[in-house]
C-alpha cells in the first residue's frame, strides 16, 4: 500500500471561497439535498469506503458531501487533468475529506491522484465501492490492483464512454463486480448530456476565446445526446450549425431538427468552429486540419481527447504551438492559425466549469441512489451492468420539479387502468424512449 497523504490540492486558502460557492450550488441541487434529508437518520452508506473519480467541481463537492452525510467515507480524484475547480477541491480538503485534484496536472500526476484514493486513512483500509466517470479509476483497480476487486461491493459509472468500457468487460467476462450504468438513466443522459451541454458548450467557447458566435459557421460532429445539446447551444447563440453523423437515425433527427447534415470534409473549409461530440476516435484528422481556414477553433466535448488527432498536430506542427492562455493554444499549419481548446480534452470542463448545478443534481441523485443500492444489496446483483429501475428514475425527476414551479397532473384510477399503468407509476414501459 501507499503512504498516507491526507490531501493534495492547489491552494487550501481557496477553501472559504469554495465553501460559499458550494452553499449557492446546494440551493440548485434539490435532488441531493432531499436525499440528505430522507436518509439522515438511517445512514445507508455507513461502512462504505467510496473512492470517486469525477470532475472535482463545485457540483461534485455537493455530491461528495451528500455521500458523507449518508454515512460514507469518501476519497476523491478528478477524471480529467483540466476539470478541477481549485476552490472546490480546497473546500473539500478543508472539510477533512481526502481529495487529490488540481487544475492543470500532468498525466503522471493524474494517475498518482487516482492511486491515492484506493486506500483510506492512516490504517490504509482499501476502498469497497467505486464511483467513476469514464472508467479510469475502474481500470486502475482492475488492471493494477486486481486483488482489491474482491472486497468491492460494486461500482457506478457516470458517462457514455465509461459505460461502453463496462459492457465490453461484461462481454469479455472481465467485470469482477456488479456495476450500475448511471449514464443511461433517463434523468441522466437525456438531461446532463443534452441540456447540460446546451448551456456549457457555448459557455466554454466564450470563456476561452470571447469570439462572436452569431453568424459563425459551427460544425458539430455527432448528434447523440451530447451532440443534440451542443448543436442547440450554438443555434441559441445565432450560429449557423452543420451536423455530421454516421447513424442514419441521428442524421435524420438532425435534419428534421433543422440542421444541415454533411460530411466533415464537405464543410471543414468554411468552418469557424469544429466541435466533436462522438465519444469515438479520429474524428478530426490531418486532412481536416489542413483544410481549415485561418483562425478556426477546434475543440472536443466528448470524454477523451482522441476525437481530435492531437498526436499528428503536435508531431507535425508542435513547433508552432503558442499558448495564448491556459487551455487556449494557437498552432500554425501552412501559414494558417488554428486555435485548439483544452488540448483537445473536454472543452466545457477544461475551458469553463462544466454543466450548471441543477442538471448535475439529476445525474448525482442517480449516482447516490446507485451507491446506496449496491452497498446495501450486493447479493441481488451478478457481475453485470445494471440500470436503476424506472421508479427511481421518475423519483429523480420528481425531486427537481418544485424548484421549477412545475405542477404535475395526477392520474385518476380509471385513467391509469385505461393506459395500463398504476396511479403512482412507473408511467412508461421499459421500451419507451423519451
Ligand atoms: P451518444 O452515443 O449518444 O452520441 C455519440 C454520437 O456520435 C452517436 O450518435 C454516433 O452515431 C455518433 N458518431 C460516432 N462516430 C461518429 C463519426 N465518426 N462521425 C460522426 N458521428 C459519429 O453519446 P453521448 O451520450 O452523446 O456522449 C458522447 C461523448 O460525450 C462520450 O464520450 C461521453 O462520455 C461524453 N460526455 C461528455 C459530457 C460533457 O459534459 N462534456 C457529458 C456527457 C457525456
Amino acid at each position: 500500500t501507499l503512504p498516507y497523504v491526507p490531501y493534495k490540492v492547489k491552494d487550501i486558502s481557496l477553501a472559504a471561497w469554495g465553501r460559499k460557492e458550494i452553499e449557492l450550488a446546494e440551493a440548485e441541487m434539490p435532488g441531493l439535498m432531499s436525499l440528505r434529508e430522507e436518509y439522515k437518520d438511517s445512514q445507508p452508506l455507513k461502512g462504505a469506503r467510496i473512492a470517486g473519480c469525477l470532475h472535482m467541481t463545485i457540483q461534485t463537492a455537493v455530491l461528495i458531501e451528500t455521500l458523507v452525510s449518508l454515512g460514507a467515507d469518501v476519497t476523491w480524484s478528478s477524471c480529467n487533468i483540466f476539470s478541477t475547480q481549485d476552490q472546490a477541491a480546497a473546500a473539500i480538503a478543508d472539510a477533512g475529506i481526502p481529495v487529490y485534484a488540481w487544475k492543470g496536472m500532468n498525466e503522471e500526476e493524474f494517475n498518482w491522484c487516482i492511486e491515492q484514493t484506493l486506500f483510506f486513512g492512516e490504517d490504509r483500509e482499501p476502498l469497497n465501492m467505486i464511483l467513476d466517470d469514464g472508467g479510469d479509476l475502474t481500470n486502475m483497480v482492475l488492471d493494477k490492483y486486481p486483488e482489491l476487486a474482491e472486497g468491492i461491493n460494486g461500482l457506478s459509472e457516470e458517462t457514455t464512454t465509461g459505460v461502453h468500457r463496462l459492457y465490453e468487460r461484461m462481454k469479455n467476462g472481465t467485470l469482477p463486480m456488479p456495476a450500475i450504468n448511471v449514464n443511461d438513466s433517463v434523468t441522466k443522459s437525456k438531461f446532463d448530456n443534452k441540456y447540460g451541454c446546451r448551456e456549457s458548450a457555448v459557455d466554454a467557447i466564450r470563456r476561452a476565446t470571447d469570439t462572436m458566435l452569431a453568424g459563425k459557421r459551427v460544425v458539430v460532429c455527432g448528434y447523440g445526446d451530447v451532440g443534440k445539446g451542443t448543436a442547440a447551444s450554438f443555434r441559441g447563440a445565432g450560429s449557423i450549425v452543420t451536423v455530421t453523423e454516421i447513424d442514419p437515425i441521428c442524421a435524420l433527427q438532425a435534419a428534421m431538427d433543422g440542421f444541415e447534415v454533411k460530411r466533415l470534409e464537405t464543410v471543414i473549409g468554411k468552418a469557424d468552429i469544429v466541435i466533436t461530440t462522438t465519444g469515438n476516435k479520429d474524428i478530426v484528422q490531418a486532412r481536416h486540419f489542413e483544410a481549415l481556414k485561418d483562425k478556426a477553433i477546434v475543440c472536443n466535448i466528448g470524454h477523451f481527447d482522441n476525437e481530435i488527432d492531437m498526436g499528428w498536430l503536435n508531431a507535425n506542427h508542435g513547433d508552432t504551438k503558442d499558448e495564448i492562455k491556459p487551455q487556449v493554444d494557437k498552432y500554425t499549419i501552412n501559414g494558417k492559425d488554428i486555435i485548439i481548446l483544452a488540448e483537445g480534452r473536454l472543452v466545457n470542463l477544461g475551458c469553463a466549469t462544466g454543466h450548471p448545478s441543477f442538471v448535475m443534481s439529476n445525474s448525482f441523485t442517480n449516482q447516490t441512489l446507485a451507491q446506496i443500492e449496491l452497498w446495501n444489496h450486493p447479493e441481488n446483483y451478478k457481475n453485470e451492468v445494471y440500470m436503476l429501475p424506472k421508479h427511481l428514475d421518475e423519483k429523480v425527476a420528481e425531486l427537481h420539479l418544485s424548484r421549477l414551479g412545475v405542477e404535475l397532473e395526477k392520474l385518476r384510477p380509471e385513467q391509469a387502468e385505461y393506459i395500463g399503468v398504476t396511479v403512482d407509476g412507473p408511467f412508461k414501459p421499459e421500451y419507451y424512449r423519451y
Side-chain angles (χ1 to χ4, degrees):
T1 56
L2 306 162
Y4 175 55
V5 179
Y7 64 83
K8 190 163 179 319
V9 300
K10 178 154 294 165
D11 180 0
I12 192 72
S13 76
L14 299 175
W17 170 30
R19 180 54 52 193
K20 288 184 211 175
E21 290 201 348
I22 289 169
E23 281 164 13
L24 279 186
E26 286 171 353
E28 281 281 284
M29 302 187 86
L32 289 180
M33 298 314 279
S34 80
L35 292 187
R36 289 190 195 183
E37 189 56 33
E38 180 177 347
Y39 291 113
K40 68 173 187 289
D41 298 325
S42 61
Q43 295 286 292
L45 291 175
K46 201 167 168 40
R49 289 187 298 278
I50 303 171
C53 181
L54 195 156
H55 311 291
M56 185 55 253
T57 61
I58 292 292
Q59 293 70 34
T60 301
V62 182
L63 167 63
I64 293 170
E65 297 197 324
T66 301
L67 299 170
V68 169
S69 79
L70 269 50
D73 283 328
V74 178
T75 58
W76 215 263
S77 63
S78 193
C79 62
N80 184 281
I81 62 171
F82 292 138
S83 64
T84 295
Q85 288 176 266
D86 288 316
Q87 75 277 25
I92 288 300
D94 189 56
I97 299 164
V99 53
Y100 311 89
W102 58 95
K103 190 176 180 77
M105 54 176 58
N106 63 34
E107 297 274 354
E108 200 183 315
E109 292 166 332
F110 177 77
N111 287 318
W112 180 88
C113 288
I114 296 178
E115 211 162 1
Q116 301 314 303
T117 64
L118 305 184
F119 302 96
F120 284 56
E122 310 226 32
D123 41 9
R124 310 275 68 199
E125 292 219 68
L127 77 171
N128 55 26
M129 291 291 296
I130 292 174
L131 191 160
D132 210 355
D133 182 348
D136 286 334
L137 167 61
T138 304
N139 282 355
M140 164 86 71
V141 171
L142 300 187
D143 298 341
K144 200 165 171 195
Y145 293 87
E147 68 281 5
L148 296 181
E150 206 185 339
I152 301 175
N153 272 22
L155 74 91
S156 58
E157 168 55 54
E158 174 83 0
T159 199
T160 315
T161 286
V163 160
H164 282 165
R165 288 175 160 186
L166 290 176
Y167 284 106
E168 197 69 12
R169 279 189 182 275
M170 183 167 93
K171 204 172 80 193
N172 299 334
T174 56
L175 181 67
M177 63 191 73
I180 290 186
N181 164 0
V182 168
N183 181 67
D184 289 289
S185 287
V186 179
T187 49
K188 200 286 185 180
S189 51
K190 299 293 171 188
F191 290 81
D192 165 327
N193 304 26
K194 182 177 171 191
Y195 302 117
C197 289
R198 193 170 73 181
E199 310 241 347
S200 64
V202 153
D203 184 28
I205 309 293
R206 291 200 202 285
R207 293 199 205 199
T209 68
D210 291 319
T211 197
M212 181 88 179
L213 292 170
K216 294 287 170 58
R217 290 186 186 271
V218 178
V219 181
V220 177
C221 301
Y223 202 68
D225 292 318
V226 169
K228 288 177 175 75
T230 301
S233 188
F234 286 101
R235 168 180 276 171
S239 305
I240 303 162
V241 180
T242 302
V243 166
T244 73
E245 254 296 344
I246 49 137
D247 178 337
I249 295 177
C250 297
L252 188 60
Q253 281 181 313
M256 296 191 66
D257 283 340
F259 296 107
E260 179 182 58
V261 184
K262 295 287 177 193
R263 291 208 186 112
L264 184 54
E265 63 197 53
T266 312
V267 289
I268 189 89
K270 285 194 170 162
D272 296 293
I273 299 171
V274 179
I275 181 164
T276 56
T277 78
T278 69
N280 201 348
K281 62 176 184 175
D282 303 336
I283 304 300
V284 179
Q285 295 186 292
R287 65 180 191 282
H288 304 118
F289 278 121
E290 285 167 346
L292 282 166
K293 64 184 197 188
D294 187 45
K295 303 291 185 302
I297 297 167
V298 180
C299 60
N300 161 49
I301 197 167
H303 190 80
F304 284 121
D305 57 348
N306 54 356
E307 302 208 22
I308 299 172
D309 193 350
M310 292 300 296
W312 175 85
L313 188 61
N314 283 316
N316 292 278
H317 300 282
D319 55 332
T320 70
K321 181 175 170 182
D322 185 10
E323 183 182 87
I324 296 181
K325 63 178 184 182
Q327 286 86 58
V328 181
D329 296 304
K330 178 165 72 81
Y331 289 75
T332 306
I333 304 175
N334 306 334
K336 292 178 292 183
D337 294 336
I338 308 299
I339 312 299
I340 299 281
L341 304 183
E343 296 178 9
R345 295 165 203 268
L346 76 188
V347 71
N348 57 336
L349 283 135
C351 294
T353 55
H355 300 338
S357 303
F358 187 75
V359 85
M360 294 315 296
S361 178
N362 285 267
S363 307
F364 291 165
T365 303
N366 280 289
Q367 278 286 8
T368 307
L369 292 169
Q371 289 285 320
I372 294 173
E373 182 59 21
L374 288 172
W375 176 243
N376 289 285
H377 303 292
E379 68 284 358
N380 293 347
Y381 298 90
K382 293 187 268 189
N383 293 344
E384 292 178 3
V385 186
Y386 294 86
M387 296 212 328
L388 285 175
K390 194 172 286 292
H391 74 91
L392 290 181
D393 216 346
E394 291 178 352
K395 172 178 169 163
V396 172
E398 179 139 27
L399 292 174
H400 291 87
L401 295 181
S402 70
R403 180 83 178 88
L404 301 180
V406 172
E407 293 179 359
L408 264 190
E409 295 283 5
K410 183 84 190 149
L411 274 178
R412 295 188 295 280
E414 62 277 19
Q415 288 183 306
E417 197 189 340
Y418 185 71
I419 61 170
V421 301
T422 57
V423 288
D424 297 318
F427 299 103
K428 296 285 194 296
E430 284 305 325
Y431 55 78
Y432 187 80
R433 292 199 178 89
Y434 300 87

